[in-house]
Amino acid sequence: SSGINAEWSLRPGGRLTRDAEFKTINGYSLVSFSLACGRSYTSSNGDKKEESHFFDCEAWGKLAEIIQKYTQKGKQIAIQGRLKQDTWETQDGKKASKVRIMVENIQLIGNRMSGDNQSFSNNNQAQPQSENISDNHVDSQSDNEDEEVPF
């Protein structure tokens, strides 16, 4: 049988709704965060409208460490990533699912006046399979250094 191999790639930009949550799982760095993205448009009857969308995001490896170190709630970023859908069965036997963005590239958007933008990429770093991830092996880690971005 012939199948279609389609990869979903997104490039949203917005602001972090909370500080990124960093953890180490089986030696891999993982960060998760939520990104708020807005859109303004004019409806067919001429009314100005605004929409807000919220996306759960996840990054691994060096990119996770960069996000944890250089972002915080309210920071404006642009990301590029692919969609990943997790499915499971709830306690009452119903099927449930959640879609999140697996971040592959990030652009930190700084002060508009200074032009302080930096881009980072994972460059196809290995990521553990989600089936092998166990919360029993999670170590929380925090990094409060105020170092400059090395670029």
Side-chain angles (χ1 to χ4, degrees):
S1 79
S2 68
I4 297 174
N5 185 10
E7 182 159 328
W8 294 80
S9 182
L10 302 172
R11 295 181 181 175
R15 295 189 183 276
L16 273 70
T17 63
R18 57 182 162 79
D19 289 346
E21 296 174 19
F22 183 85
K23 47 183 136 175
T24 303
I25 300 176
N26 298 331
Y28 291 94
S29 297
L30 166 66
V31 71
S32 59
F33 59 95
S34 181
L35 188 66
C37 304
R39 177 176 97 98
S40 299
Y41 66 96
T42 303
S43 68
S44 58
N45 64 3
D47 294 336
K48 293 203 182 270
K49 301 276 187 176
E50 290 194 24
E51 292 179 343
S52 295
H53 302 280
F54 301 89
F55 300 99
D56 290 326
C57 304
E58 191 171 278
W60 291 90
K62 186 69 174 169
L63 191 56
E65 295 168 16
I66 290 168
I67 292 169
Q68 189 269 337
K69 189 170 187 175
Y70 296 110
T71 68
Q72 67 282 334
K73 179 180 178 179
K75 175 72 176 167
Q76 188 175 10
I77 63 172
I79 62 172
Q80 178 181 0
R82 60 185 168 76
L83 294 178
K84 181 174 183 191
Q85 182 175 23
D86 293 320
T87 57
W88 66 93
E89 193 170 304
T90 64
Q91 290 180 345
D92 58 359
K94 295 181 180 177
K95 289 190 176 199
S97 68
K98 179 178 184 175
V99 176
R100 61 197 148 132
I101 300 173
M102 303 300 293
V103 179
E104 297 169 341
N105 297 294
I106 181 172
Q107 181 177 11
L108 303 176
I109 301 172
N111 183 331
R112 289 183 186 160
M113 302 304 272
S114 70
D116 186 24
N117 296 341
Q118 289 102 14
S119 296
F120 302 94
S121 173
N122 246 351
N123 295 327
N124 299 321
Q125 288 185 3
Q127 299 174 5
Q129 296 298 315
S130 59
E131 298 83 41
N132 297 332
I133 296 172
S134 168
D135 284 337
N136 296 334
H137 296 91
V138 174
D139 297 323
S140 294
Q141 183 175 339
S142 176
D143 187 352
N144 294 325
E145 297 176 28
D146 289 330
E147 295 179 15
E148 293 294 316
V149 176
F151 295 94

